[in-house]
Amino acid sequence: MLKAINICHTKLLTWFVLMRIVTWNVNSLRARLGRIERWLAAFEPDVACLQETKLADDAFPTEIFEGLGYECFYHGQGRWNGVCILSRVGLENPMTGFGAEIEPDREARLLWATCGGIRVASCYVPNGRALDHAHYQYKLSWLDRLAAALEVQASPSEPVIVCGDFNVAPEDKDVYDPKAFADSTHTSTLERKKLELLTEWGLVDLFRLHHNGDSLFSWWDYRAGSFYKHMGMRIDLLYGSPPVAESCGFALIDRNERKGPRQDPPSDHAPVFVDIDHSISIK
DNA sequence: ATGGTCGTTTGACGA
């Protein structure tokens, strides 16, 4: 919920804003539309960054989200990938991809917009498939280009959130069993080094500010009852610049959203959200 | 440990 209090100084208007931002790989926006509508109504995020929408842009259900009070910015391609940002606190300077100076992505995996004074990116990082697969090199290159785009898009002194499905578990405690991931993607040294490009720039893993040390996951394989065996990974991340990290008061993985009957199946990812209490000043 | 389950451009492929 956006809570704005205007404080009128001599020539400065300051808004203190409580903003809730969620990232959620929905694994098909069409298949998950009912669940997404219910989740938005229940949790009232101000900004929703969704991944794997699997929708072409001309099929995006703009009117449904507008009916819930959200502006929509989307970048899809049909069968695979696809990302969007929904915002009810404004949506300015939209941009898809890495930007003009950087080798473009062939897939719909990234977009940016300024929402409520925060520069927001919704990312769907390539999976990588296997360490010896070409897709792994694509993943590494993709993360290099994300870091390069960040340099152009924002400064660490400004409010920035880069969130999404990173397909990388930052640390061993972010997977149920590190040994099970030896020699596979999501935990390899090289891809973790690419995440460090983001943290070296100044971004902070906002979830870890509030859940230090816990093994809590955001993704569980559909197969073999992984969810009920707690065999998951934390790969859906919200990174914030220092001003955002300082004002991040709450973070949660809504693992209940990973549950559900065959008739109304969940995504294999749970929504992850943070609450940000920050101020915007306008002359 | 292995096999298992979702989604999509219906069916092989990606996750």
Side-chain angles (χ1 to χ4, degrees):
Chain A
M1 176 68 77
L2 174 69
K3 289 178 182 165
I5 306 162
N6 298 349
I7 295 184
C8 191
H9 303 287
T10 44
K11 284 182 181 173
L12 202 65
L13 280 173
T14 301
W15 280 261
F16 290 92
V17 182
L18 178 59
M19 256 175 66
R20 174 165 291 176
I21 302 187
V22 61
T23 181
W24 188 8
N25 179 323
V26 296
N27 184 17
S28 170
L29 196 152
R30 184 181 281 128
R32 224 65 64 202
L33 188 56
R35 278 179 172 266
I36 295 168
E37 287 184 81
R38 292 199 300 276
W39 200 91
L40 294 175
F43 286 84
E44 300 191 309
D46 299 292
V47 180
C49 295
L50 309 182
Q51 300 89 34
E52 278 208 87
T53 55
K54 297 185 174 179
L55 269 188
D57 287 342
D58 58 11
F60 196 89
T62 309
E63 60 294 335
I64 289 178
F65 294 121
E66 285 178 351
L68 298 170
Y70 293 94
E71 290 177 75
C72 307
F73 179 43
Y74 42 87
H75 179 37
Q77 61 183 86
R79 193 167 187 180
W80 290 300
N81 310 315
V83 283
C84 72
I85 298 177
L86 314 175
S87 173
R88 59 181 196 183
V89 289
L91 205 159
E92 296 165 348
N93 299 316
M95 188 187 94
T96 60
F98 298 118
E101 303 83 3
I102 299 167
E103 187 193 336
D105 192 8
R106 56 183 181 266
E107 300 182 347
R109 294 179 174 274
L110 174 65
L111 42 70
W112 306 76
T114 302
C115 306
I118 301 180
R119 192 66 177 154
V120 175
S122 177
C123 309
Y124 177 44
V125 177
N127 174 288
R129 296 180 195 166
L131 297 184
D132 58 356
H133 198 288
H135 207 258
Y136 181 68
Q137 296 305 317
Y138 171 50
K139 180 181 198 174
L140 297 177
S141 156
W142 202 95
L143 286 165
D144 275 333
R145 286 180 281 164
L146 176 64
L150 184 60
E151 297 278 353
V152 177
Q153 287 299 307
S155 138
S157 63
E158 299 164 342
V160 183
I161 289 183
V162 179
C163 66
D165 175 2
F166 281 79
N167 271 314
V168 183
E171 298 179 81
D172 279 354
K173 65 189 176 190
D174 295 311
V175 299
Y176 69 93
D177 179 8
K179 291 190 292 295
F181 291 86
D183 305 318
S184 70
T185 58
H186 293 68
T187 63
S188 73
T189 304
L190 277 178
E191 57 198 289
R192 283 178 169 169
K193 286 277 182 202
K194 299 303 183 189
L195 286 191
E196 285 174 18
L197 296 174
L198 305 179
T199 55
E200 282 162 8
W201 184 85
L203 291 180
V204 174
D205 184 341
L206 298 175
F207 185 79
R208 278 292 172 218
L209 293 176
H210 297 280
H211 303 276
N212 190 28
D214 300 330
S215 278
L216 295 168
F217 309 132
S218 65
W219 174 88
W220 300 261
D221 200 306
Y222 279 124
R223 295 166 291 183
S226 297
F227 178 66
Y228 299 95
K229 298 176 190 167
H230 308 292
M231 294 167 70
M233 285 194 268
R234 190 177 70 94
I235 54 175
D236 299 275
L237 311 173
L238 294 115
Y239 282 109
S241 60
V244 167
E246 284 162 23
S247 51
C248 177
F250 187 71
L252 190 78
I253 298 172
D254 179 22
R255 73 186 298 284
N256 280 331
E257 181 53 46
R258 180 61 179 76
K259 303 173 184 174
R262 277 252 157 75
Q263 299 76 13
D264 183 23
S267 170
D268 45 355
H269 297 251
V272 186
F273 69 88
V274 295
D275 289 341
I276 306 294
D277 211 342
H278 77 124
S279 60
I280 309 170
S281 295
I282 297 172
K283 267 200 277 190

